[in-house]
Amino acid sequence: MPPKRQTIRDHTAEANLVARRTFVSIVFVCLLMAVIIANLYQLQVTQHEDYQTRSNGNRIKVLPVAPNRGLIYDRNGEILAENRPVFSLEITPEDVDDLDSTIERLAALMSLTTDEVNDFKSSIRRQRRFKPVSIRQQLSQDDVALFSAKQHQYPGVSIEARLSRYYPYKDTLTHMLGYVAKINKRELVKLEEDEQLANYAATHDMGKQGVERFHERTLHGEVGYQQVEVNNQGRIIRVLSFEPPLPGRDIVLNIDINLQKKAQEVLAGRRGSVVITSPIDGGVLALYSSPSYDPNLFVHGISQKEYNKLLASKNSPLLNRATQGRYPPASTIKPLLALVGLEEGLIDETTEIHDRGTYRLKNVNHVWRDWKKYGHGTVNVTKSIEVSCDIFYYDLAYKLGIDRISSSMQLFGFGKRTGIDLLEESSANMPSRGWKRARFNEPWYIGDTIPVGIGQSYWNATPLQLAQSLNFLINKGQRHTPRIIKGYMVEGAIDVLPVEMQSPIPIVNEHNWDIVLDALYGTVNRSHGTARGAFKDTDYISAGKTGTAQLFSVAQDAEYEEENVSARLKDNAMYVGYAPYDNPEISISVVIENAGGGSSNAAPAARIVMDYYFSEIKPKGITLKTKKNDAAITGPAQASLSTVETITMETSGG
Amino acid sequence: MAEAKFTTIKTTMLERLHIDGFLLFALLCLMGVGLVTIYSSGGQDWDLVNRQLTRLGIALIVMFILAQIPPMAYRRLAVYFYSFGLIMLILVLLVGVVGKGAQRWLDLGLIRFQPSEVMKLAVPLMVAWYISKFNLPPPSRNIAIGFVFVFIPTILIAKQPDLGTSLLVASSGIFALFLSGMTWRLIGFISALGGAFAPIMWFFLMQGYQKQRVLTFLNPESDPLGSGYHIIQSKIAIGSGGVSGKGWLQGTQSQLEFLPERHTDFIFAVFSEEFGLIGVIGLLFIYMCIIIRGLMITNNAQDAFSKLLAGSLTLTFFVYVFVNMGMVSGLLPVVGVPLPLVSYGGTSMVTLLAGFGILMSISTQKRMMSR
């Protein structure tokens, strides 16, 4: 059958068959073309905007630009923290013809170490070829000069500058000024919580300590943005737009760098702190903690070895003793207790006690001793301060009771942070019944109250708290918050920040305050005063109070013998004081650890600093203009207590 | 008068050269579009354009030569050509050169030879020859034998692996069978069989990377930087082109190199980005002109062999277009099929224009046969 069919072939039928199939094909082709066009319509018309956005997202990158960090000046316009260009030698592999020979020649020229070369070689492997990689960071001036002269021989190699924080006064300001260093993970989390992450997108470093940390927001500024077109490898093809960053504000501190240096000098080789504040506005003129360290070490990342050395040091250089050191305030708080006793009416000018060197309570089998073995004889309130009589204050503390002592001393700032513009601050401890219950689950015993009268027992305070309480006293209850920052530098003049004040301490009788201040005068200027020796023949009249904090409990019937006590348990020497007496400009708080008596160790140190202030600093005045009146305050500050209010009003306007 | 005279001379000249003027014009238009787009997508590199021009020249010469050979000769040579191709395919699997992860080339010293390209022509020739030996429509037995002719090379090419070419080879043979009038019942049955076969292919035959391609096709956004990257960037290029396009040399997706395979398989995305929907419709119009012309030639061809061959070559050309545009715009999984006559590249260009040479031979030599 098939062969037969084969012979008769119907060409027309076959042509029709193929024609029909061809027609079906055309229909299919048209249908599928329609599908293609419909899909393209969907992509290019319906979803065009979406894809347009994604296309721009591909090619347009927004690069954050870090703002320049604000500078920090002292009250005279001396730069304390600056941004210095650091130079690094960078190689862009793509632009180098023969990388190996270039590195070899460069190594010979710049005497690169094998470590540097190896680090570089491993890091270029992780980088795009057009991204510059640094082979040496922090070039010295000599390195820069050396390479600059030969730069033309090294295509693809360049010196790049970027700004990095530098502290020219090194260890003089460390605890107060702090430092910046690389932002860590914990800080990133914090920035995210504060919705500041975007603002820090281009920032490497942030304030870690001190003023740099406290005023971080002010100093940092606002991030800028650069819109760039990039290719698929991220190479920048061109800049589309640029929104410049807003630099951080330059700030001016109340600090006087020369006074600060003097404070450092008197503490050289000793552990302790010096805090100098202005009773006029609470401004901090100097705040030094010894020993210190160089903050520049931290800016570029301190080595673990060096950091461990700082951490492990017995002298705790990382601690800011001025605001974090907790010391028994010892006799320095006697004037405050005397004031409370007077204001409470428990004692008056005529109240006298007879000090024979010991104090006993009825029914208590304990003897409290005066620092002077056989006592001071007949002592009134003025003399009690001048000679620093202990028995008077054992008795006064007994009469006041812990509740009144505790609440009144809290008014003077004890047991609370001062609110200074530093985050590294301890509230130290003002003991109370409630505190002892919470801390030891024990009731307050009457025996606990007696040593509180001489600033011992559970009471401790920071040197800054001591300075602050003295300012409250000499301002008769006016309370300025201690401030390191003075204002902002604007066009070469200072825009002064308003002074912060707390509600004043209520006065019962102003005469009581005068009694106490007079006793502070006596301590320095009258024949039996404990600070008389230290302040003999000064050109100015000062007042103050010494203190000797006992760190070693002497057994009931033993005597404190200096030679037998190890160096670490020797008394802390303390002094608080101010000058001029009738027109206070500066107040000082000195604590020197394990130095011995306050009169012979802390007071002389305080005198050196005060002498320096009155001979070198006060005559020159402040050189930096304030923005408000545009006139330089050249003469010595002539403020007195009575004009404090006016100044406050004036400055708060700025 | 002179003008009219010139036209007549021209037609007769083209006829004497066995060139289909309309088809040639459309092909040259496509090549022009291709060169313009290659210049843009290749980073305005004249070298690239010159190399493509050389290839086009060679391919046009091949086309011209093949147009001179009468259809009867193709018919006689079909079996030898097919057998030669098959041997080459087997050789390539045994001693072929590995390139781009697939074993596709035979190294003949001076030139690298890709036997799968031969099969793009040999399979339709073979099937058309075999089916047209008998009356149309062919009985099922002949259809089955036809399928054997199709699937032996298809499977060999798929094993290289070269999914795109095997797809084109398979469709060229199947189109010849379809045009020969295989019954719709059989078409339905084979489709159903194919559907049933798909899961078997998925689980037993497909390789990991092939499965990955299918998965990527189904959801490219699942791995936007990995396997989905090509197709996502391509869709962004097309979509962002909009109606009027970003302008020649202005396509950011291509100029900034976000788009992969810019001047080869994904050149359609570059074109769509720079010339927009309007340009794309113009391009599709040229393709449609070529396809319609091819199908007209099919219809006007003198004998069954010529009809089946011309139809299958034309429809395979359409498959090129459809698969390439489909994969670049995310309708189909990514298989390596270039956009015919536009994409940069040599081998497929020669094969394609060789096919058009055969088509022109069928178109222009029918009268001679009928005489």
Side-chain angles (χ1 to χ4, degrees), chain B residues 346-364:
Chain B
T347 345
S348 72
M349 182 77 67
V350 175
T351 322
L352 273 163
L353 285 181
F356 282 106
I358 295 171
L359 210 56
M360 285 184 182
S361 149
I362 294 168
S363 158
T364 56

mmCIF file with all atom_site columns, all heavy atoms in Angstrom, chain B residues 346-364:
data_model
loop_
_atom_site.group_PDB
_atom_site.id
_atom_site.type_symbol
_atom_site.label_atom_id
_atom_site.label_alt_id
_atom_site.label_comp_id
_atom_site.label_asym_id
_atom_site.label_entity_id
_atom_site.label_seq_id
_atom_site.pdbx_PDB_ins_code
_atom_site.Cartn_x
_atom_site.Cartn_y
_atom_site.Cartn_z
_atom_site.occupancy
_atom_site.B_iso_or_equiv
_atom_site.pdbx_formal_charge
_atom_site.auth_seq_id
_atom_site.auth_comp_id
_atom_site.auth_asym_id
_atom_site.auth_atom_id
_atom_site.pdbx_PDB_model_num
ATOM 1   N N   . GLY B 1 346 ? 30.615 35.316 16.987 1.00 0.00 ? 346 GLY B N   1
ATOM 2   C CA  . GLY B 1 346 ? 30.886 34.831 15.648 1.00 0.00 ? 346 GLY B CA  1
ATOM 3   C C   . GLY B 1 346 ? 30.108 33.617 15.204 1.00 0.00 ? 346 GLY B C   1
ATOM 4   O O   . GLY B 1 346 ? 29.454 33.645 14.157 1.00 0.00 ? 346 GLY B O   1
ATOM 5   N N   . THR B 1 347 ? 30.186 32.545 15.972 1.00 0.00 ? 347 THR B N   1
ATOM 6   C CA  . THR B 1 347 ? 29.688 31.263 15.491 1.00 0.00 ? 347 THR B CA  1
ATOM 7   C C   . THR B 1 347 ? 28.210 31.314 15.115 1.00 0.00 ? 347 THR B C   1
ATOM 8   O O   . THR B 1 347 ? 27.828 30.893 14.018 1.00 0.00 ? 347 THR B O   1
ATOM 9   C CB  . THR B 1 347 ? 29.901 30.172 16.556 1.00 0.00 ? 347 THR B CB  1
ATOM 10  O OG1 . THR B 1 347 ? 30.803 30.660 17.516 1.00 0.00 ? 347 THR B OG1 1
ATOM 11  C CG2 . THR B 1 347 ? 30.420 28.915 15.946 1.00 0.00 ? 347 THR B CG2 1
ATOM 12  N N   . SER B 1 348 ? 27.396 31.817 16.013 1.00 0.00 ? 348 SER B N   1
ATOM 13  C CA  . SER B 1 348 ? 25.966 31.786 15.754 1.00 0.00 ? 348 SER B CA  1
ATOM 14  C C   . SER B 1 348 ? 25.627 32.691 14.572 1.00 0.00 ? 348 SER B C   1
ATOM 15  O O   . SER B 1 348 ? 24.698 32.426 13.817 1.00 0.00 ? 348 SER B O   1
ATOM 16  C CB  . SER B 1 348 ? 25.198 32.232 16.995 1.00 0.00 ? 348 SER B CB  1
ATOM 17  O OG  . SER B 1 348 ? 25.348 33.609 17.179 1.00 0.00 ? 348 SER B OG  1
ATOM 18  N N   . MET B 1 349 ? 26.419 33.758 14.413 1.00 0.00 ? 349 MET B N   1
ATOM 19  C CA  . MET B 1 349 ? 26.204 34.692 13.303 1.00 0.00 ? 349 MET B CA  1
ATOM 20  C C   . MET B 1 349 ? 26.349 33.981 11.959 1.00 0.00 ? 349 MET B C   1
ATOM 21  O O   . MET B 1 349 ? 25.501 34.095 11.065 1.00 0.00 ? 349 MET B O   1
ATOM 22  C CB  . MET B 1 349 ? 27.245 35.810 13.404 1.00 0.00 ? 349 MET B CB  1
ATOM 23  C CG  . MET B 1 349 ? 27.123 36.873 12.369 1.00 0.00 ? 349 MET B CG  1
ATOM 24  S SD  . MET B 1 349 ? 25.790 37.969 12.772 1.00 0.00 ? 349 MET B SD  1
ATOM 25  C CE  . MET B 1 349 ? 26.459 38.720 14.241 1.00 0.00 ? 349 MET B CE  1
ATOM 26  N N   . VAL B 1 350 ? 27.409 33.193 11.825 1.00 0.00 ? 350 VAL B N   1
ATOM 27  C CA  . VAL B 1 350 ? 27.653 32.458 10.579 1.00 0.00 ? 350 VAL B CA  1
ATOM 28  C C   . VAL B 1 350 ? 26.529 31.456 10.338 1.00 0.00 ? 350 VAL B C   1
ATOM 29  O O   . VAL B 1 350 ? 25.978 31.364 9.242  1.00 0.00 ? 350 VAL B O   1
ATOM 30  C CB  . VAL B 1 350 ? 29.032 31.766 10.627 1.00 0.00 ? 350 VAL B CB  1
ATOM 31  C CG1 . VAL B 1 350 ? 29.232 30.893 9.392  1.00 0.00 ? 350 VAL B CG1 1
ATOM 32  C CG2 . VAL B 1 350 ? 30.144 32.799 10.735 1.00 0.00 ? 350 VAL B CG2 1
ATOM 33  N N   . THR B 1 351 ? 26.156 30.701 11.344 1.00 0.00 ? 351 THR B N   1
ATOM 34  C CA  . THR B 1 351 ? 25.098 29.706 11.195 1.00 0.00 ? 351 THR B CA  1
ATOM 35  C C   . THR B 1 351 ? 23.791 30.360 10.775 1.00 0.00 ? 351 THR B C   1
ATOM 36  O O   . THR B 1 351 ? 23.078 29.871 9.893  1.00 0.00 ? 351 THR B O   1
ATOM 37  C CB  . THR B 1 351 ? 24.890 28.957 12.523 1.00 0.00 ? 351 THR B CB  1
ATOM 38  O OG1 . THR B 1 351 ? 26.149 28.747 13.129 1.00 0.00 ? 351 THR B OG1 1
ATOM 39  C CG2 . THR B 1 351 ? 24.203 27.639 12.297 1.00 0.00 ? 351 THR B CG2 1
ATOM 40  N N   . LEU B 1 352 ? 23.477 31.496 11.453 1.00 0.00 ? 352 LEU B N   1
ATOM 41  C CA  . LEU B 1 352 ? 22.221 32.178 11.152 1.00 0.00 ? 352 LEU B CA  1
ATOM 42  C C   . LEU B 1 352 ? 22.183 32.645 9.694  1.00 0.00 ? 352 LEU B C   1
ATOM 43  O O   . LEU B 1 352 ? 21.204 32.409 8.979  1.00 0.00 ? 352 LEU B O   1
ATOM 44  C CB  . LEU B 1 352 ? 22.060 33.392 12.064 1.00 0.00 ? 352 LEU B CB  1
ATOM 45  C CG  . LEU B 1 352 ? 21.413 33.131 13.406 1.00 0.00 ? 352 LEU B CG  1
ATOM 46  C CD1 . LEU B 1 352 ? 21.686 34.283 14.357 1.00 0.00 ? 352 LEU B CD1 1
ATOM 47  C CD2 . LEU B 1 352 ? 19.917 32.923 13.224 1.00 0.00 ? 352 LEU B CD2 1
ATOM 48  N N   . LEU B 1 353 ? 23.261 33.300 9.258  1.00 0.00 ? 353 LEU B N   1
ATOM 49  C CA  . LEU B 1 353 ? 23.246 33.813 7.885  1.00 0.00 ? 353 LEU B CA  1
ATOM 50  C C   . LEU B 1 353 ? 23.359 32.682 6.869  1.00 0.00 ? 353 LEU B C   1
ATOM 51  O O   . LEU B 1 353 ? 22.839 32.785 5.758  1.00 0.00 ? 353 LEU B O   1
ATOM 52  C CB  . LEU B 1 353 ? 24.342 34.853 7.688  1.00 0.00 ? 353 LEU B CB  1
ATOM 53  C CG  . LEU B 1 353 ? 23.993 36.207 8.332  1.00 0.00 ? 353 LEU B CG  1
ATOM 54  C CD1 . LEU B 1 353 ? 25.086 37.212 8.092  1.00 0.00 ? 353 LEU B CD1 1
ATOM 55  C CD2 . LEU B 1 353 ? 22.670 36.747 7.800  1.00 0.00 ? 353 LEU B CD2 1
ATOM 56  N N   . ALA B 1 354 ? 23.984 31.567 7.285  1.00 0.00 ? 354 ALA B N   1
ATOM 57  C CA  . ALA B 1 354 ? 23.981 30.385 6.413  1.00 0.00 ? 354 ALA B CA  1
ATOM 58  C C   . ALA B 1 354 ? 22.541 29.930 6.210  1.00 0.00 ? 354 ALA B C   1
ATOM 59  O O   . ALA B 1 354 ? 22.124 29.617 5.088  1.00 0.00 ? 354 ALA B O   1
ATOM 60  C CB  . ALA B 1 354 ? 24.822 29.285 7.048  1.00 0.00 ? 354 ALA B CB  1
ATOM 61  N N   . GLY B 1 355 ? 21.781 29.932 7.312  1.00 0.00 ? 355 GLY B N   1
ATOM 62  C CA  . GLY B 1 355 ? 20.359 29.573 7.225  1.00 0.00 ? 355 GLY B CA  1
ATOM 63  C C   . GLY B 1 355 ? 19.624 30.497 6.271  1.00 0.00 ? 355 GLY B C   1
ATOM 64  O O   . GLY B 1 355 ? 18.817 30.052 5.442  1.00 0.00 ? 355 GLY B O   1
ATOM 65  N N   . PHE B 1 356 ? 19.912 31.824 6.396  1.00 0.00 ? 356 PHE B N   1
ATOM 66  C CA  . PHE B 1 356 ? 19.249 32.761 5.482  1.00 0.00 ? 356 PHE B CA  1
ATOM 67  C C   . PHE B 1 356 ? 19.720 32.572 4.048  1.00 0.00 ? 356 PHE B C   1
ATOM 68  O O   . PHE B 1 356 ? 18.962 32.800 3.098  1.00 0.00 ? 356 PHE B O   1
ATOM 69  C CB  . PHE B 1 356 ? 19.458 34.205 5.941  1.00 0.00 ? 356 PHE B CB  1
ATOM 70  C CG  . PHE B 1 356 ? 18.551 34.575 7.073  1.00 0.00 ? 356 PHE B CG  1
ATOM 71  C CD1 . PHE B 1 356 ? 19.034 34.709 8.367  1.00 0.00 ? 356 PHE B CD1 1
ATOM 72  C CD2 . PHE B 1 356 ? 17.201 34.757 6.846  1.00 0.00 ? 356 PHE B CD2 1
ATOM 73  C CE1 . PHE B 1 356 ? 18.190 35.032 9.400  1.00 0.00 ? 356 PHE B CE1 1
ATOM 74  C CE2 . PHE B 1 356 ? 16.340 35.078 7.888  1.00 0.00 ? 356 PHE B CE2 1
ATOM 75  C CZ  . PHE B 1 356 ? 16.843 35.210 9.174  1.00 0.00 ? 356 PHE B CZ  1
ATOM 76  N N   . GLY B 1 357 ? 20.971 32.095 3.858  1.00 0.00 ? 357 GLY B N   1
ATOM 77  C CA  . GLY B 1 357 ? 21.451 31.762 2.518  1.00 0.00 ? 357 GLY B CA  1
ATOM 78  C C   . GLY B 1 357 ? 20.593 30.661 1.903  1.00 0.00 ? 357 GLY B C   1
ATOM 79  O O   . GLY B 1 357 ? 20.143 30.768 0.755  1.00 0.00 ? 357 GLY B O   1
ATOM 80  N N   . ILE B 1 358 ? 20.327 29.628 2.706  1.00 0.00 ? 358 ILE B N   1
ATOM 81  C CA  . ILE B 1 358 ? 19.486 28.524 2.228  1.00 0.00 ? 358 ILE B CA  1
ATOM 82  C C   . ILE B 1 358 ? 18.087 29.042 1.900  1.00 0.00 ? 358 ILE B C   1
ATOM 83  O O   . ILE B 1 358 ? 17.491 28.722 0.873  1.00 0.00 ? 358 ILE B O   1
ATOM 84  C CB  . ILE B 1 358 ? 19.432 27.402 3.283  1.00 0.00 ? 358 ILE B CB  1
ATOM 85  C CG1 . ILE B 1 358 ? 20.834 26.785 3.458  1.00 0.00 ? 358 ILE B CG1 1
ATOM 86  C CG2 . ILE B 1 358 ? 18.417 26.342 2.886  1.00 0.00 ? 358 ILE B CG2 1
ATOM 87  C CD1 . ILE B 1 358 ? 20.949 25.820 4.621  1.00 0.00 ? 358 ILE B CD1 1
ATOM 88  N N   . LEU B 1 359 ? 17.595 29.919 2.809  1.00 0.00 ? 359 LEU B N   1
ATOM 89  C CA  . LEU B 1 359 ? 16.257 30.487 2.621  1.00 0.00 ? 359 LEU B CA  1
ATOM 90  C C   . LEU B 1 359 ? 16.188 31.270 1.309  1.00 0.00 ? 359 LEU B C   1
ATOM 91  O O   . LEU B 1 359 ? 15.229 31.185 0.547  1.00 0.00 ? 359 LEU B O   1
ATOM 92  C CB  . LEU B 1 359 ? 15.954 31.419 3.806  1.00 0.00 ? 359 LEU B CB  1
ATOM 93  C CG  . LEU B 1 359 ? 14.500 31.569 4.239  1.00 0.00 ? 359 LEU B CG  1
ATOM 94  C CD1 . LEU B 1 359 ? 13.877 30.214 4.556  1.00 0.00 ? 359 LEU B CD1 1
ATOM 95  C CD2 . LEU B 1 359 ? 14.413 32.475 5.454  1.00 0.00 ? 359 LEU B CD2 1
ATOM 96  N N   . MET B 1 360 ? 17.259 32.029 1.034  1.00 0.00 ? 360 MET B N   1
ATOM 97  C CA  . MET B 1 360 ? 17.286 32.814 -0.209 1.00 0.00 ? 360 MET B CA  1
ATOM 98  C C   . MET B 1 360 ? 17.382 31.913 -1.417 1.00 0.00 ? 360 MET B C   1
ATOM 99  O O   . MET B 1 360 ? 16.781 32.200 -2.466 1.00 0.00 ? 360 MET B O   1
ATOM 100 C CB  . MET B 1 360 ? 18.465 33.784 -0.187 1.00 0.00 ? 360 MET B CB  1
ATOM 101 C CG  . MET B 1 360 ? 18.206 34.961 0.739  1.00 0.00 ? 360 MET B CG  1
ATOM 102 S SD  . MET B 1 360 ? 19.553 36.135 0.669  1.00 0.00 ? 360 MET B SD  1
ATOM 103 C CE  . MET B 1 360 ? 19.002 37.331 1.860  1.00 0.00 ? 360 MET B CE  1
ATOM 104 N N   . SER B 1 361 ? 18.110 30.838 -1.258 1.00 0.00 ? 361 SER B N   1
ATOM 105 C CA  . SER B 1 361 ? 18.182 29.875 -2.356 1.00 0.00 ? 361 SER B CA  1
ATOM 106 C C   . SER B 1 361 ? 16.786 29.343 -2.667 1.00 0.00 ? 361 SER B C   1
ATOM 107 O O   . SER B 1 361 ? 16.378 29.279 -3.831 1.00 0.00 ? 361 SER B O   1
ATOM 108 C CB  . SER B 1 361 ? 19.145 28.748 -1.961 1.00 0.00 ? 361 SER B CB  1
ATOM 109 O OG  . SER B 1 361 ? 18.766 27.539 -2.559 1.00 0.00 ? 361 SER B OG  1
ATOM 110 N N   . ILE B 1 362 ? 16.058 29.000 -1.626 1.00 0.00 ? 362 ILE B N   1
ATOM 111 C CA  . ILE B 1 362 ? 14.687 28.494 -1.834 1.00 0.00 ? 362 ILE B CA  1
ATOM 112 C C   . ILE B 1 362 ? 13.819 29.579 -2.452 1.00 0.00 ? 362 ILE B C   1
ATOM 113 O O   . ILE B 1 362 ? 13.027 29.342 -3.355 1.00 0.00 ? 362 ILE B O   1
ATOM 114 C CB  . ILE B 1 362 ? 14.092 28.015 -0.493 1.00 0.00 ? 362 ILE B CB  1
ATOM 115 C CG1 . ILE B 1 362 ? 14.860 26.790 0.006  1.00 0.00 ? 362 ILE B CG1 1
ATOM 116 C CG2 . ILE B 1 362 ? 12.615 27.701 -0.632 1.00 0.00 ? 362 ILE B CG2 1
ATOM 117 C CD1 . ILE B 1 362 ? 14.560 26.422 1.437  1.00 0.00 ? 362 ILE B CD1 1
ATOM 118 N N   . SER B 1 363 ? 14.021 30.813 -1.957 1.00 0.00 ? 363 SER B N   1
ATOM 119 C CA  . SER B 1 363 ? 13.187 31.931 -2.424 1.00 0.00 ? 363 SER B CA  1
ATOM 120 C C   . SER B 1 363 ? 13.444 32.265 -3.886 1.00 0.00 ? 363 SER B C   1
ATOM 121 O O   . SER B 1 363 ? 12.510 32.555 -4.622 1.00 0.00 ? 363 SER B O   1
ATOM 122 C CB  . SER B 1 363 ? 13.475 33.134 -1.534 1.00 0.00 ? 363 SER B CB  1
ATOM 123 O OG  . SER B 1 363 ? 13.138 34.328 -2.188 1.00 0.00 ? 363 SER B OG  1
ATOM 124 N N   . THR B 1 364 ? 14.715 32.245 -4.296 1.00 0.00 ? 364 THR B N   1
ATOM 125 C CA  . THR B 1 364 ? 15.052 32.748 -5.636 1.00 0.00 ? 364 THR B CA  1
ATOM 126 C C   . THR B 1 364 ? 15.191 31.673 -6.684 1.00 0.00 ? 364 THR B C   1
ATOM 127 O O   . THR B 1 364 ? 15.159 31.967 -7.879 1.00 0.00 ? 364 THR B O   1
ATOM 128 C CB  . THR B 1 364 ? 16.363 33.544 -5.580 1.00 0.00 ? 364 THR B CB  1
ATOM 129 O OG1 . THR B 1 364 ? 17.368 32.696 -5.034 1.00 0.00 ? 364 THR B OG1 1
ATOM 130 C CG2 . THR B 1 364 ? 16.222 34.795 -4.747 1.00 0.00 ? 364 THR B CG2 1
#
